[in-house]
Amino acid sequence: MSATAREDRIELIVDINIFFNRVGIVGHYEELEWLGFKVECFAGSFRSERVPELQRFCQENPEYHIVSYTGDGRYENKYVPGQVLYRLANGDRNPILVLNHLVDPKQALVAEEIVCAALAVLHDVKTSDDR
């Protein structure tokens, strides 16, 4: 009897902080410089032309792995060829972990809070001219 794995199974995470902490995203540019990378983006992302450099680094430092940005708000905790952006990570290597913070059911509430706060500031500015 043989075993098969479901390759289409994912563990969806909707909170960006939980995902980044769990997979160990290396996001601080000073840490990337300390690791020997020339930093072109303060957010800690690498464009696709730098994939060979990331792959070499991960082969030499097996505690690190590549995380792929695969679409709006979506990161996959593995190397996915042909993507535009990649990140370096040193945490949980489980390749079924996927972040998509845009499907967070609380996302609408967060957006509403931001809009309400902005409207309150605009209201204060507008009414300050009336004095």
Side-chain angles (χ1 to χ4, degrees), residues 5-82:
R6 289 191 47 182
E7 293 185 19
D8 61 343
R9 192 176 135 234
I10 66 168
E11 182 180 330
L12 181 64
I13 299 173
V14 297
D15 186 302
I16 194 167
N17 293 319
I18 291 172
F19 180 83
F20 276 31
N21 288 332
R22 182 167 172 186
V23 303
I25 293 290
V26 180
H28 199 278
Y29 72 93
E30 289 178 336
E31 185 175 356
L32 290 168
E33 287 177 340
W34 185 81
L35 291 171
F37 290 100
K38 180 179 180 240
V39 178
E40 298 171 351
C41 172
F42 288 111
S45 297
F46 294 87
R47 298 197 53 80
S48 59
E49 57 269 8
R50 296 193 61 194
V51 166
E53 178 185 3
L54 284 172
Q55 290 174 323
R56 266 191 313 279
F57 179 83
C58 291
Q59 284 178 335
E60 295 168 3
N61 302 277
E63 65 272 21
Y64 290 91
H65 66 283
I66 299 172
V67 174
S68 305
Y69 180 76
T70 58
D72 291 339
R74 183 179 168 97
Y75 284 90
E76 295 187 37
N77 194 32
K78 61 184 176 185
Y79 171 66
V80 179

Side-chain angles (χ1 to χ4, degrees), residues 93-111:
R93 302 173 68 90
N94 187 342
I96 70 168
L97 297 177
V98 173
L99 166 70
N100 190 340
H101 65 89
L102 298 179
V103 298
D104 185 351
K106 296 182 283 185
Q107 187 68 22
L109 295 174
V110 171

